[in-house]
Amino acid sequence: MAIDLENITKGFNTLNKNIKKRIVVCAGTGCVANGSLDVFKSLVDMSKEMGIDAHIELKEESKGTLISRSGCQGFCQHGPLLNILPQGILYTKVTNSDVKEILEESVLKDGIVGRLCYHDNGKVCKGQGDIPFYTKQNRVVLKECGVIDPENIQEYIASGGYRAAKKACVDMTDKEICDELINSGLRGRGGAGFPTGRKWDFTRIQKSEKKYMICNGDEGDPGAFMDRSVMEGNPHNVIEGLIIAAKAIGADEGYIYVRTEYSLAVSRMQKAVKAATEIGVLGKNIFDSGHNFTLHVMEGAGAFVCGEETALIASIEGKRGMPSPKPPIPAQSGLWGKPTAINNVETLANVPIIINYGADAFKKNGTQNSSGTKIFAITGNVLNTGLIEVPFGTTLRHVIFDIAGGVPDEKGVVNEDNFKAVQIGGPSGGCLTKEHLDMNLDYDSLKTVGAMVGSGGFVVMSKHNCMVNVAKFFMQFTQSESCGKCVLCREGTLQMLLMLTDITEGRADKNTLSVLEELANAVAIGSLCGLGKTAPNPVLSTLKYFKEEYDAHVQDKQCPAGECAKLLNYQITDKCIGCGLCASKCPVKAILGKPKEQYKIDVSKCIKCGICKDSCKFNAISRS
C-alpha cells in the first residue's frame, strides 16, 4: 500500500494544533560543542520544576509548549542559539543559567530577555527578521534547517517533504526528470560545477540491469561545514533528492558516503534512512510506482582524496581510496563496474526544490550560467562566522561586510582597510583581494581570477595574516592528504611545501620563487585527479596577488604581517626599567642585563618565541 503523505501531514498538524509555543534549540555540531544539549536538558527539567506544560515529542495529549532540537541555525558565532516560535525570538549564547529567565519571560509571558538578543550597533534585535546576518541572505536549501526536528520524518512530510519524490516517481519519466534538471541549470555544488542534469542523462542512457546512485558527503575542506550542516539539519531533504536521482538514472540502490568524523551527521542520516524505509518512501515499489530504491549509509575513513568520485567508489568497494584514470567515467563504469551517478549533499538538496517548483522558478535566483543559490561556510577574521546561503552573482563585498559584519581590528572596530584576502574553495581554491570585492560569485567569474566555488569554504583574512603562511597552511593540508598514486602530486606538493617553508623561515633565495611557480604549474597540469590539479591554486593565486609579500620574505628576510616567527626580530627599547621579568621568562636565557638597567637580547641565542614581549608590562620590547 502506497504511503499517504496527505494523511501523515493531517495527523501531524492535528497533534501540533494545541502547541502554543515552541522552543527550538540549535543542535548542530557547533552549538552542541558549546553546550546546547545541556541547555535542552535544562529546559526540560526546569519546565517540570516550574509547572510548565512542556513536551519533547508530539502526542495526542500534547499542548502548551514543545521543546525541540534542530540542525544548524547558521549564526554560529553566537551559539548556542535558541528560537521561540511563533513569536520569532532568537536568543544567543544561551547557557544553563539563562533557562529559568527565558521560561519566565518568554514562555509564561510574552516578553523578551533583551540581554540574550543580538545587538546591532546598540539596537536590540528580537529575532532573525531584525538581524542583517539573516535578512541579507536568501535561504532556500537552508529554509527548514534550524527549524524542523531533523529526526522527525512526520514533520518533514508535513512541511511539504517527499512530494517531489512522489511526483518524480509517479508522474514523470526518467527523461523528463533529466530534462527538467538540465533546464534548471543546476550545477554540482561540490567542486567544478558540472551540470547535474547532463550527468544524470548520460548515466540514464547506459544499458545495464544494475545502476547505483551515490551521495558524496565526504566534505573535507578546512573551514567547510555546508554538507555536514544540511545532513544534520534536514537529512530527509537529501534522501528525497537521492530518490529522484535514482528514478532519473534507473538505479535501485544507493549509498550516502559520510566521513566518520561527522558523527552527528552519520547518526541523523542513519536514523532518517531507517525512518524513510519503515514508512515506505524507501524500499520496494515506492509510491506504487514500480520503482525500487534501497539506501545505505557508509562511513568513510576521513581521507580528503575520497571526495574525488573514483577514489570514493574505491573506498565503498573496500579498497584504498585512490583515484582512477578516466575514461571510463563513473557514469559508464562506476561502483562494482556498473553505471553510477555521484552528487554531493548540497546538489541533491536542491533537486526536490526544482521538481516541486520547476526549472524556471529555480533560475530566478543566480546568473545565466550559475543558477540558484549557494551555501557558504564563513570562517576567519569576520564579526559573524557561520553558515549562509546567497544567490549566485552575489558580490564578495555583500557576503563579507553586509552578512558577515566585516573585518574587525584588534579593538573590534570594522574597517574595509582591515580586509586583506579571502580564500574561497578550500585547498583547491584561490585567494581573492580587495580588487575582487565587487566581483560576482559564480563559477565562471571565479575561474577567470584563478579561484573556484568549490564546496563553499570561505576563509576571510585580515591585514595581520601572512599570505605566504596561508599558502603554506593549505599546502601542508593537500600534501598530507595526497594519496601518493601519481608522482607529480606526491613529490610536487612536498617540494612546494619545502620551498614555502624555506621562504617563511628565511632560507629562500632569488631563484626559489621562479622554481616554485614553475613547479606549481607542472603539478596542476600533470596530476591525475582534482586534488593534485588544484593543490597549487593557493600558491599561484598568492604569488599573483601578493608578490610583494613573497619578495619581502625572500629579499628582505622580513614578514610584513609579523606572523613568520623565524623572520621576526625582537629588541628591548629605552622604555625598559630593568625589572628583569623578560629575562626570567626567556626559555633559552637569551636576555642579559642588570637590575634597574636596560636589558639586551642576544640575537645568536634568541629563538624568537615572543615570550619576552608577551610578559613585558611596560611595552618595552619591539618586534619587527
Side-chain angles (χ1 to χ4, degrees):
M1 184 177 177
I3 179 175
D4 190 339
L5 298 177
E6 300 310 321
N7 193 44
I8 292 173
T9 299
K10 183 179 178 181
F12 179 86
N13 290 337
T14 298
L15 294 177
N16 195 47
K17 69 179 182 179
N18 291 323
I19 296 297
K20 304 303 180 185
K21 292 184 180 181
R22 180 171 181 177
I23 304 174
V24 184
V25 178
C26 180
T29 293
C31 282
V32 168
N34 278 325
S36 67
L37 294 185
D38 291 334
V39 172
F40 179 86
K41 185 177 184 302
S42 294
L43 283 164
V44 175
D45 294 341
M46 186 61 69
S47 295
K48 291 179 181 178
E49 286 184 27
M50 297 172 65
I52 295 173
D53 188 7
H55 310 268
I56 60 173
E57 58 181 305
L58 288 175
K59 297 180 180 179
E60 288 186 13
E61 65 274 15
S62 297
K63 58 182 179 178
T65 300
L66 177 67
I67 305 173
S68 66
R69 288 164 289 201
S70 73
C72 178
Q73 296 181 13
F75 209 21
C76 304
Q77 182 86 14
H78 299 275
L81 301 171
L82 187 153
N83 230 324
I84 298 182
L85 303 174
Q87 287 80 4
I89 301 171
L90 179 66
Y91 290 135
T92 62
K93 299 181 180 179
V94 179
T95 65
N96 289 347
S97 61
D98 301 317
V99 167
K100 185 176 181 181
E101 186 177 4
I102 290 171
L103 291 172
E104 287 176 342
E105 292 297 323
S106 300
V107 175
L108 294 177
K109 306 174 187 176
D110 285 322
I112 297 176
V113 184
R115 66 180 181 83
L116 295 176
C117 293
Y118 177 74
H119 290 69
D120 182 29
N121 293 321
K123 175 189 173 184
V124 177
C125 299
K126 174 185 173 182
Q128 294 184 9
D130 303 319
I131 302 173
F133 179 86
Y134 289 106
T135 60
K136 294 182 181 294
Q137 295 184 47
N138 189 352
R139 295 167 77 86
V140 179
V141 174
L142 295 179
K143 182 180 179 181
E144 300 295 342
C145 282
V147 179
I148 66 172
D149 182 346
E151 297 183 15
N152 188 332
I153 190 172
Q154 286 83 11
E155 184 169 8
Y156 178 73
I157 291 172
S159 67
Y162 289 116
R163 269 63 169 190
K166 181 178 180 180
K167 179 180 177 181
C169 289
V170 175
D171 301 328
M172 300 176 74
T173 66
D174 53 0
K175 187 176 187 306
E176 286 173 340
I177 298 171
C178 291
D179 288 345
E180 191 72 12
L181 266 292
I182 291 171
N183 291 336
S184 74
L186 176 66
R187 296 171 67 170
R189 300 301 198 243
F194 190 82
T196 303
R198 283 175 53 195
K199 176 185 285 189
W200 289 6
D201 199 48
F202 194 68
T203 314
R204 178 185 69 85
I205 63 175
Q206 304 301 311
K207 303 297 183 184
S208 177
E209 292 182 0
K210 184 75 175 181
K211 295 180 183 179
Y212 292 96
M213 186 66 216
I214 297 176
C215 170
N216 182 352
D218 191 61
E219 180 180 56
D221 291 0
F225 49 94
M226 300 75 57
D227 289 350
R228 184 194 75 196
S229 298
V230 172
M231 289 187 286
E232 289 176 358
N234 201 356
H236 288 285
N237 186 211
V238 182
I239 294 172
E240 185 168 13
L242 278 163
I243 294 170
I244 297 166
K247 171 65 188 299
I249 69 171
D252 65 354
E253 190 172 359
Y255 286 84
I256 303 171
Y257 186 95
V258 190
R259 57 177 42 232
T260 193
E261 295 96 330
Y262 284 2
S263 57
L264 188 56
V266 170
S267 171
R268 288 184 179 164
M269 288 304 318
Q270 288 173 335
K271 289 177 181 177
V273 169
K274 181 180 179 182
T277 303
E278 289 175 349
I279 210 167
V281 294
L282 286 174
K284 294 186 179 297
N285 194 25
I286 300 171
F287 304 111
D288 276 348
S289 65
H291 177 56
N292 305 326
F293 186 55
T294 57
L295 198 52
H296 316 279
V297 178
M298 178 174 177
E299 295 180 57
F304 180 65
V305 74
C306 286
E308 197 278 335
E309 55 187 14
T310 60
L312 185 153
I313 287 172
S315 179
I316 294 177
E317 292 176 341
K319 304 171 186 174
R320 182 182 175 190
M322 301 177 76
S324 302
K326 302 173 187 177
I329 61 174
Q332 298 167 311
S333 178
L335 188 60
W336 290 297
K338 303 300 181 182
T340 304
I342 305 175
N343 294 111
N344 89 315
V345 171
E346 186 184 345
T347 308
L348 291 164
N350 273 282
V351 171
I353 298 167
I354 295 169
I355 298 301
N356 270 329
Y357 302 105
D360 291 338
F362 183 78
K363 290 189 289 187
K364 287 181 180 179
N365 282 316
T367 66
Q368 183 175 355
N369 294 321
S370 302
S371 57
T373 60
K374 179 72 186 80
I375 302 174
F376 291 101
I378 304 180
T379 58
N381 293 305
V382 288
L383 279 182
N384 299 316
T385 59
L387 194 71
I388 72 162
E389 184 176 0
V390 293
F392 277 111
T394 301
T395 64
L396 279 172
R397 185 184 303 278
H398 180 71
V399 171
I400 296 170
F401 291 95
D402 295 338
I403 299 176
V407 183
D409 61 16
E410 298 90 338
K411 297 180 180 180
V413 179
V414 173
N415 190 304
E416 189 174 310
D417 290 338
N418 299 327
F419 170 76
K420 188 172 192 177
V422 58
Q423 171 76 8
I424 185 168
S428 303
C431 288
L432 303 179
T433 67
K434 287 182 181 179
E435 67 182 89
H436 303 113
L437 280 174
D438 294 310
M439 185 184 73
N440 292 339
L441 289 171
D442 61 63
Y443 292 102
D444 301 328
S445 297
L446 289 172
K447 190 175 181 179
T448 62
V449 293
M452 63 188 297
V453 173
S455 60
F458 213 93
V459 184
V460 181
M461 286 155 281
S462 76
K463 60 186 179 182
H464 299 295
N465 292 118
C466 171
M467 300 311 297
V468 184
N469 212 33
V470 167
K472 177 184 168 185
F473 168 80
F474 283 107
M475 189 52 61
Q476 284 175 321
F477 179 83
T478 50
Q479 197 279 322
S480 65
E481 292 292 343
S482 171
C483 74
K485 185 170 185 177
C486 62
V487 175
L488 269 167
C489 179
R490 181 182 70 241
E491 300 299 330
T493 54
L494 175 59
Q495 293 305 315
M496 283 192 287
L497 176 59
L498 291 174
M499 280 188 274
L500 288 166
T501 302
D502 284 345
I503 294 169
T504 57
E505 296 184 359
R507 295 188 297 271
D509 59 31
K510 62 182 181 180
N511 295 319
T512 304
L513 297 185
S514 59
V515 174
L516 176 63
E517 186 171 9
E518 184 180 357
L519 178 58
N521 284 313
V523 172
I525 294 170
S527 293
L528 176 62
C529 80
L531 187 152
K533 287 183 180 298
T534 58
N537 282 351
V539 174
L540 291 171
S541 62
T542 51
L543 275 170
K544 180 177 180 180
Y545 297 118
F546 298 95
K547 183 64 161 50
E548 71 283 355
E549 281 200 37
Y550 281 90
D551 290 337
H553 283 71
V554 174
Q555 296 172 12
D556 305 327
K557 306 302 179 185
Q558 289 185 345
C559 175
E563 262 197 349
C564 298
K566 294 294 180 69
L567 297 181
L568 298 178
N569 293 307
Y570 290 88
Q571 289 183 324
I572 298 177
T573 70
D574 55 11
K575 292 181 181 180
C576 176
I577 65 167
C579 70
L581 181 60
C582 60
S584 67
K585 296 287 186 180
C586 179
V588 293
K589 307 301 179 184
I591 301 178
L592 308 173
K594 297 179 180 180
K596 297 184 179 181
E597 294 182 7
Q598 184 175 337
Y599 278 65
K600 292 183 180 181
I601 298 175
D602 184 345
V603 294
S604 65
K605 293 182 179 179
C606 179
I607 60 173
K608 303 176 181 181
C609 63
I611 291 176
C612 57
K613 182 173 175 61
D614 293 338
S615 62
C616 181
K617 298 179 180 180
F618 302 97
N619 196 28
I621 299 178
S622 66
R623 183 179 67 185
S624 61

